[in-house]
Amino acid sequence: MSAHGASAGIEFGFDGTIANTLHAHRLVQHFQEEKGAEVAEKIVDSLYAQYFTLAAHPSSASTLLTAATEAGVSEDEAKAFIEDESEGLMDVKMLIREQASNGVDSVPYIVFEGKRRDFTLEGAREVGEYLKTMESVAKESL
């Protein structure tokens, strides 16, 4: 990952706090529902940047607030949601349980639906593995 980041001008640091990301997931889910996928994607981008380049705690209130405001959410709206740690919590836990029951236990978890069978890639993979999988799906679709 470091090599891929360096080629894109990103200096990854892996010395940040490893912590539960439940409240980060709660934030993303809430604002995806309230503001749409574009805002949620910006929140995720900010969370990744803060964690992987600044070693910020992945679920601290300040990290979550920065991510939300960088995505265009007003500070007041973001603070109100972040401070109410129960809002949306059961929904996110339910979604996590649902995916766990589907066998998902790592990210990314990508399923390519083929004509005869599905192909699943779990965890970080090289670009070549994605290409090979997509070529297999295309080949089987002929």
Side-chain angles (χ1 to χ4, degrees):
M1 192 160 142
S2 295
H4 291 297
S7 70
I10 301 168
E11 188 175 325
F12 286 108
F14 296 100
D15 53 349
T17 301
I18 296 173
N20 187 314
T21 59
L22 181 62
H23 288 292
H25 284 89
R26 186 177 70 86
L27 181 79
V28 172
Q29 180 66 28
H30 174 77
F31 285 111
Q32 180 169 314
E33 289 177 4
E34 294 293 316
K35 306 282 186 186
E38 187 175 322
V39 169
E41 186 175 329
K42 288 177 181 178
I43 290 172
V44 170
D45 289 346
S46 177
L47 290 169
Y48 283 162
Q50 291 182 78
Y51 182 73
F52 287 113
T53 63
L54 303 175
H57 188 289
S59 283
S60 74
S62 62
T63 301
L64 300 178
L65 182 61
T66 297
T69 56
E70 285 182 357
V73 177
S74 76
E75 186 171 335
D76 289 342
E77 183 178 8
K79 267 187 182 178
F81 177 76
I82 292 164
E83 289 172 358
D84 182 355
E85 292 187 356
S86 65
E87 186 176 350
L89 184 61
M90 294 313 297
D91 293 335
V92 168
K93 285 184 174 183
M94 180 200 63
L95 290 168
I96 291 169
R97 279 193 296 275
E98 180 181 309
Q99 291 308 310
S101 71
N102 291 330
V104 177
D105 64 358
S106 62
V107 291
Y109 186 95
I110 301 173
V111 178
F112 295 90
E113 294 183 20
K115 192 171 190 173
R116 287 183 250 151
R117 63 188 171 127
D118 293 343
F119 298 82
T120 303
L121 295 178
E122 295 181 57
R125 300 294 180 110
E126 295 293 327
V127 172
E129 290 183 69
Y130 289 99
L131 290 173
K132 183 178 176 183
T133 301
M134 288 187 279
E135 289 168 354
S136 296
V137 170
K139 185 177 179 181
E140 287 190 6
S141 296
L142 297 176

